[in-house]
Amino acid sequence: MAFAPMGPEASFFEVLDQHRASLLAALKRGGGEPAGGGTHLASSSEVLASIEKVIQDVITSLARNEAPAFTIDNRSSWENIKFEDSVGLHMVSHCTTRKIKSDSLKSVKNFALILKILSMIYKLVQSNTYATKRDIYYTDSQLFGNQTVVDSIINDISCMLKVPRRCLHILSTSKGLIAGNLGYIEEDGTKVNCSCATAVAVPSNIQGIRNLITNGKFLLIVEKDATFQRLLDDNFCNKMSPCIMVTGKGVPDLNTRLLVKKLWDTFHIPIFTLVDADPHGIEIMCIYKYGSMSMSFEAHNLTVPAIRWLGLLPSDIKRLNIPKDTLIPLTKRDQMKLDSILKRPYITCQPFWRKEMEIMADSKMKAEIQALTFLSSDYLSRVYLPNKLKFGGWI
């Protein structure tokens, strides 16, 4: 497909091109993607065999007059999480587990729900059909109670069977958006061109998209939909062409994270985040870059440690003389979140991040990206981002 760049002169991208060269050199030194990169995508027959083994274990326990139980890796303990700069947060090979027992009042319902969803997954895989998490919830909304219960059980099953969630033939409805210099073909053969004036929804089956094409010099991850839409309105993708923009509309869903990972694996172009200068924004950036505790069992498929923090940096607030009355005091919850992030293992290898967070902690203030509009309504797209990209203002 053809793209018509309208962006700046080639010299604008010199620092970006140097950054990309250093990323590629680092990959080469590390022998390509990190060892173990990309969890094995189990075939349908392997998934069916794994489910059959789980059910066989249940039957064996019953035959012995024992109460069956499911053993699942404990995803809520930092003891089970290992940090590697090349992968992010991932589970250790021999981690502590928890048991979901069928003879315990506390866990018997969860045991029954896991069995029910396992049977649904088995039918989906066997018939080569797909369902969304929402579809599964609505098969018996009274039994499940709420969508969160279904989401948690599906993650538990994925962790227990040691297969990525998409191999279970369960999809989630995407909330993310993508725009800019990118084209691809969806699983059903639909050709998608993201260079149109409006954004395109992130596909619900990232595994199925193919023939990706871009001339993009960089990918910008935007924390909030409002900022993303403002950049679209300001024609940012064309002014900075060729580039790609993505938003997960806050905390990213699995599909948005999978797409960012796929774009990195396919093109190895620089990826930057634009988030609020607050603990919540930093947390979101960390999820894209290093992953989360709850999804650490699938880290190799989701994390992109090459991501850099472009803005809004706490140091930018002082540097740009953003007025104090546009800043917001940190709440007690913000301070707890900030303290929690500062204690995480990956901060030791990010001294510049630590410095920025310490600036925030000392000032006891946070700022939204919208604070830049005080300088001018289009300051973000006209001055702030172009200068950051041209002169290498990322960390």
Side-chain angles (χ1 to χ4, degrees):
M1 64 192 298
F3 296 110
M6 297 165 50
E9 294 177 3
S11 60
F12 177 91
F13 294 111
E14 277 179 12
V15 177
L16 268 169
D17 289 341
Q18 289 167 15
H19 176 51
R20 186 182 183 213
S22 71
L23 292 173
L24 292 171
L27 270 179
K28 200 171 180 181
R29 282 195 304 272
E33 294 299 334
T39 301
H40 168 59
L41 290 178
S43 66
S44 293
S45 57
E46 287 172 323
V47 175
L48 294 174
S50 297
I51 295 172
E52 286 163 7
K53 185 184 181 303
V54 169
I55 301 304
Q56 187 60 53
D57 290 345
V58 169
I59 294 166
T60 301
S61 295
L62 290 170
R64 291 176 181 161
N65 271 336
E66 297 170 357
F70 296 125
T71 303
I72 297 172
D73 292 341
N74 189 350
R75 295 182 287 118
S76 60
S77 169
W78 279 104
E79 291 174 15
N80 289 338
I81 310 297
K82 181 182 179 182
F83 170 71
E84 285 181 56
D85 194 29
S86 61
V87 181
L89 300 173
H90 62 110
M91 294 196 84
V92 296
S93 49
H94 301 291
C95 56
T96 59
T97 58
R98 60 191 172 91
K99 284 194 180 292
I100 298 174
K101 300 176 180 179
S102 59
D103 62 345
S104 161
L105 280 174
K106 191 179 175 184
S107 62
V108 65
K109 184 178 178 181
N110 253 19
F111 182 90
L113 293 180
I114 288 173
L115 267 182
K116 181 176 176 66
I117 293 179
L118 271 173
S119 72
M120 296 168 77
I121 290 168
Y122 193 89
K123 287 172 188 169
L124 288 169
V125 176
Q126 200 173 40
S127 60
N128 195 28
T129 53
Y130 289 83
T132 65
K133 293 189 296 182
R134 203 76 180 143
D135 293 335
I136 287 176
Y137 168 69
Y138 279 117
T139 59
D140 200 330
S141 57
Q142 281 193 313
L143 174 67
F144 292 121
N146 62 63
Q147 184 69 53
T148 310
V149 171
V150 173
D151 297 353
S152 177
I153 286 172
I154 289 167
N155 285 341
D156 278 343
I157 289 171
S158 177
C159 187
M160 179 173 67
L161 299 179
K162 304 254 184 307
V163 295
R165 194 176 76 192
R166 54 206 173 281
C167 295
L168 305 178
H169 283 228
I170 293 175
L171 307 172
S172 52
T173 306
S174 297
K175 65 170 184 162
L177 297 172
I178 186 160
N181 189 287
L182 179 70
Y184 56 86
I185 298 175
E186 291 195 332
E187 192 177 29
D188 64 1
T190 304
K191 290 183 178 179
V192 178
N193 180 358
C194 302
S195 62
C196 303
T198 54
V200 172
V202 168
S204 58
N205 188 0
I206 302 299
Q207 188 187 345
I209 66 173
R210 62 188 192 278
N211 293 22
L212 285 86
I213 181 170
T214 186
N215 300 315
K217 290 284 189 179
F218 65 93
L219 166 61
L220 180 66
I221 298 170
V222 183
E223 176 193 349
K224 296 190 298 193
D225 185 39
T227 308
F228 181 88
Q229 297 297 340
R230 178 60 204 252
L231 289 172
L232 281 182
D233 290 345
D234 287 351
N235 207 19
F236 178 79
C237 281
N238 283 332
K239 287 175 182 172
M240 290 293 105
S241 180
C243 70
I244 306 169
M245 281 200 317
V246 169
T247 182
K249 297 183 181 179
V251 177
D253 60 339
L254 192 68
N255 290 330
T256 305
R257 291 179 63 192
L258 284 167
L259 177 66
V260 170
K261 172 69 171 172
K262 192 175 186 90
L263 291 173
W264 166 250
D265 287 345
T266 307
F267 302 114
H268 292 122
I269 57 173
I271 304 179
F272 304 108
T273 55
L274 176 65
V275 298
D276 287 337
D278 67 12
H280 186 67
I282 295 168
E283 174 83 281
I284 286 170
M285 174 175 61
C286 291
I287 290 171
Y288 282 108
K289 184 176 175 77
Y290 290 129
S292 61
M293 183 191 286
S294 63
M295 292 300 290
S296 55
F297 64 95
E298 215 184 318
H300 289 96
N301 291 316
L302 295 170
T303 60
V304 185
I307 286 172
R308 298 292 184 265
W309 186 3
L310 189 66
L312 182 67
L313 302 180
S315 59
D316 290 337
I317 295 167
K318 187 176 180 182
R319 182 176 63 83
L320 297 172
N321 292 317
I322 295 172
K324 280 193 174 181
D325 58 7
T326 64
L327 307 181
I328 306 163
L330 289 177
T331 64
K332 195 171 182 180
R333 193 173 176 182
D334 287 331
Q335 288 172 335
M336 286 170 65
K337 171 70 74 181
L338 193 59
D339 290 343
S340 165
I341 296 170
L342 281 164
K343 289 172 186 169
R344 290 182 194 170
Y346 44 72
I347 296 301
T348 55
C349 67
Q350 291 291 349
F352 294 112
W353 284 27
R354 175 178 285 280
K355 189 177 178 183
E356 292 294 333
M357 284 186 265
E358 285 171 350
I359 290 170
M360 188 189 299
D362 292 344
S363 70
K364 293 184 170 53
M365 303 296 278
K366 60 184 180 180
E368 295 183 334
I369 295 162
Q370 285 85 343
L372 294 174
T373 57
F374 171 84
L375 301 170
S376 76
S377 61
D378 61 349
Y379 189 84
L380 176 67
S381 61
R382 183 176 56 83
V383 180
Y384 182 80
L385 289 175
N387 282 347
K388 285 260 181 175
L389 292 163
K390 183 175 183 178
F391 300 110
W394 54 79
I395 57 175

PDB file of all heavy atoms in Angstrom, residues 14-27:
ATOM      1  N   GLU A  14      17.636  12.549  12.263  1.00  0.00           N
ATOM      2  CA  GLU A  14      19.011  12.066  12.459  1.00  0.00           C
ATOM      3  C   GLU A  14      19.212  11.414  13.830  1.00  0.00           C
ATOM      4  O   GLU A  14      19.761  10.321  13.948  1.00  0.00           O
ATOM      5  CB  GLU A  14      20.008  13.219  12.287  1.00  0.00           C
ATOM      6  CG  GLU A  14      20.354  13.486  10.825  1.00  0.00           C
ATOM      7  CD  GLU A  14      21.322  14.648  10.654  1.00  0.00           C
ATOM      8  OE1 GLU A  14      21.905  15.090  11.676  1.00  0.00           O
ATOM      9  OE2 GLU A  14      21.496  15.119   9.513  1.00  0.00           O
ATOM     10  N   VAL A  15      18.772  12.091  14.892  1.00  0.00           N
ATOM     11  CA  VAL A  15      18.956  11.554  16.252  1.00  0.00           C
ATOM     12  C   VAL A  15      18.115  10.291  16.437  1.00  0.00           C
ATOM     13  O   VAL A  15      18.554   9.325  17.060  1.00  0.00           O
ATOM     14  CB  VAL A  15      18.617  12.619  17.319  1.00  0.00           C
ATOM     15  CG1 VAL A  15      18.744  12.049  18.731  1.00  0.00           C
ATOM     16  CG2 VAL A  15      19.537  13.824  17.168  1.00  0.00           C
ATOM     17  N   LEU A  16      16.891  10.302  15.874  1.00  0.00           N
ATOM     18  CA  LEU A  16      16.029   9.112  15.928  1.00  0.00           C
ATOM     19  C   LEU A  16      16.695   7.927  15.227  1.00  0.00           C
ATOM     20  O   LEU A  16      16.665   6.796  15.733  1.00  0.00           O
ATOM     21  CB  LEU A  16      14.676   9.405  15.265  1.00  0.00           C
ATOM     22  CG  LEU A  16      13.550   9.909  16.164  1.00  0.00           C
ATOM     23  CD1 LEU A  16      12.394  10.385  15.297  1.00  0.00           C
ATOM     24  CD2 LEU A  16      13.085   8.840  17.126  1.00  0.00           C
ATOM     25  N   ASP A  17      17.288   8.201  14.066  1.00  0.00           N
ATOM     26  CA  ASP A  17      17.963   7.131  13.310  1.00  0.00           C
ATOM     27  C   ASP A  17      19.162   6.586  14.084  1.00  0.00           C
ATOM     28  O   ASP A  17      19.421   5.383  14.071  1.00  0.00           O
ATOM     29  CB  ASP A  17      18.409   7.645  11.932  1.00  0.00           C
ATOM     30  CG  ASP A  17      17.223   7.878  10.995  1.00  0.00           C
ATOM     31  OD1 ASP A  17      16.141   7.314  11.262  1.00  0.00           O
ATOM     32  OD2 ASP A  17      17.375   8.623  10.009  1.00  0.00           O
ATOM     33  N   GLN A  18      19.871   7.477  14.778  1.00  0.00           N
ATOM     34  CA  GLN A  18      21.000   7.038  15.608  1.00  0.00           C
ATOM     35  C   GLN A  18      20.506   6.165  16.760  1.00  0.00           C
ATOM     36  O   GLN A  18      21.127   5.159  17.109  1.00  0.00           O
ATOM     37  CB  GLN A  18      21.761   8.252  16.157  1.00  0.00           C
ATOM     38  CG  GLN A  18      22.564   9.014  15.112  1.00  0.00           C
ATOM     39  CD  GLN A  18      23.037  10.373  15.622  1.00  0.00           C
ATOM     40  OE1 GLN A  18      23.022  10.645  16.823  1.00  0.00           O
ATOM     41  NE2 GLN A  18      23.435  11.235  14.686  1.00  0.00           N
ATOM     42  N   HIS A  19      19.380   6.568  17.342  1.00  0.00           N
ATOM     43  CA  HIS A  19      18.790   5.790  18.439  1.00  0.00           C
ATOM     44  C   HIS A  19      18.394   4.399  17.948  1.00  0.00           C
ATOM     45  O   HIS A  19      18.653   3.397  18.617  1.00  0.00           O
ATOM     46  CB  HIS A  19      17.581   6.537  19.007  1.00  0.00           C
ATOM     47  CG  HIS A  19      16.846   5.791  20.083  1.00  0.00           C
ATOM     48  ND1 HIS A  19      17.475   5.249  21.174  1.00  0.00           N
ATOM     49  CD2 HIS A  19      15.520   5.488  20.227  1.00  0.00           C
ATOM     50  CE1 HIS A  19      16.580   4.653  21.953  1.00  0.00           C
ATOM     51  NE2 HIS A  19      15.389   4.784  21.391  1.00  0.00           N
ATOM     52  N   ARG A  20      17.799   4.364  16.752  1.00  0.00           N
ATOM     53  CA  ARG A  20      17.404   3.063  16.205  1.00  0.00           C
ATOM     54  C   ARG A  20      18.634   2.186  15.951  1.00  0.00           C
ATOM     55  O   ARG A  20      18.625   0.987  16.227  1.00  0.00           O
ATOM     56  CB  ARG A  20      16.620   3.236  14.899  1.00  0.00           C
ATOM     57  CG  ARG A  20      16.074   1.898  14.404  1.00  0.00           C
ATOM     58  CD  ARG A  20      15.336   1.977  13.097  1.00  0.00           C
ATOM     59  NE  ARG A  20      14.802   0.660  12.785  1.00  0.00           N
ATOM     60  CZ  ARG A  20      14.672   0.182  11.570  1.00  0.00           C
ATOM     61  NH1 ARG A  20      15.058   0.907  10.533  1.00  0.00           N
ATOM     62  NH2 ARG A  20      14.172  -1.019  11.372  1.00  0.00           N
ATOM     63  N   ALA A  21      19.704   2.794  15.440  1.00  0.00           N
ATOM     64  CA  ALA A  21      20.941   2.041  15.185  1.00  0.00           C
ATOM     65  C   ALA A  21      21.494   1.452  16.484  1.00  0.00           C
ATOM     66  O   ALA A  21      21.963   0.309  16.512  1.00  0.00           O
ATOM     67  CB  ALA A  21      21.976   2.943  14.523  1.00  0.00           C
ATOM     68  N   SER A  22      21.399   2.222  17.584  1.00  0.00           N
ATOM     69  CA  SER A  22      21.898   1.719  18.875  1.00  0.00           C
ATOM     70  C   SER A  22      21.014   0.587  19.397  1.00  0.00           C
ATOM     71  O   SER A  22      21.512  -0.365  20.009  1.00  0.00           O
ATOM     72  CB  SER A  22      21.988   2.852  19.901  1.00  0.00           C
ATOM     73  OG  SER A  22      20.708   3.280  20.309  1.00  0.00           O
ATOM     74  N   LEU A  23      19.706   0.667  19.151  1.00  0.00           N
ATOM     75  CA  LEU A  23      18.791  -0.407  19.552  1.00  0.00           C
ATOM     76  C   LEU A  23      19.103  -1.690  18.792  1.00  0.00           C
ATOM     77  O   LEU A  23      19.136  -2.787  19.373  1.00  0.00           O
ATOM     78  CB  LEU A  23      17.334   0.002  19.301  1.00  0.00           C
ATOM     79  CG  LEU A  23      16.746   1.120  20.169  1.00  0.00           C
ATOM     80  CD1 LEU A  23      15.361   1.504  19.667  1.00  0.00           C
ATOM     81  CD2 LEU A  23      16.674   0.704  21.633  1.00  0.00           C
ATOM     82  N   LEU A  24      19.336  -1.547  17.488  1.00  0.00           N
ATOM     83  CA  LEU A  24      19.655  -2.717  16.653  1.00  0.00           C
ATOM     84  C   LEU A  24      20.999  -3.325  17.050  1.00  0.00           C
ATOM     85  O   LEU A  24      21.153  -4.548  17.080  1.00  0.00           O
ATOM     86  CB  LEU A  24      19.664  -2.321  15.171  1.00  0.00           C
ATOM     87  CG  LEU A  24      18.300  -1.950  14.572  1.00  0.00           C
ATOM     88  CD1 LEU A  24      18.469  -1.375  13.165  1.00  0.00           C
ATOM     89  CD2 LEU A  24      17.369  -3.152  14.537  1.00  0.00           C
ATOM     90  N   ALA A  25      21.965  -2.451  17.387  1.00  0.00           N
ATOM     91  CA  ALA A  25      23.286  -2.938  17.820  1.00  0.00           C
ATOM     92  C   ALA A  25      23.162  -3.709  19.134  1.00  0.00           C
ATOM     93  O   ALA A  25      23.806  -4.757  19.323  1.00  0.00           O
ATOM     94  CB  ALA A  25      24.248  -1.765  17.980  1.00  0.00           C
ATOM     95  N   ALA A  26      22.312  -3.197  20.050  1.00  0.00           N
ATOM     96  CA  ALA A  26      22.101  -3.878  21.335  1.00  0.00           C
ATOM     97  C   ALA A  26      21.451  -5.241  21.120  1.00  0.00           C
ATOM     98  O   ALA A  26      21.804  -6.228  21.782  1.00  0.00           O
ATOM     99  CB  ALA A  26      21.226  -3.019  22.249  1.00  0.00           C
ATOM    100  N   LEU A  27      20.509  -5.298  20.170  1.00  0.00           N
ATOM    101  CA  LEU A  27      19.871  -6.581  19.837  1.00  0.00           C
ATOM    102  C   LEU A  27      20.885  -7.569  19.289  1.00  0.00           C
ATOM    103  O   LEU A  27      20.891  -8.747  19.651  1.00  0.00           O
ATOM    104  CB  LEU A  27      18.769  -6.367  18.784  1.00  0.00           C
ATOM    105  CG  LEU A  27      17.352  -6.064  19.268  1.00  0.00           C
ATOM    106  CD1 LEU A  27      16.443  -5.863  18.067  1.00  0.00           C
ATOM    107  CD2 LEU A  27      16.811  -7.173  20.156  1.00  0.00           C
TER     108      LEU A  27
END
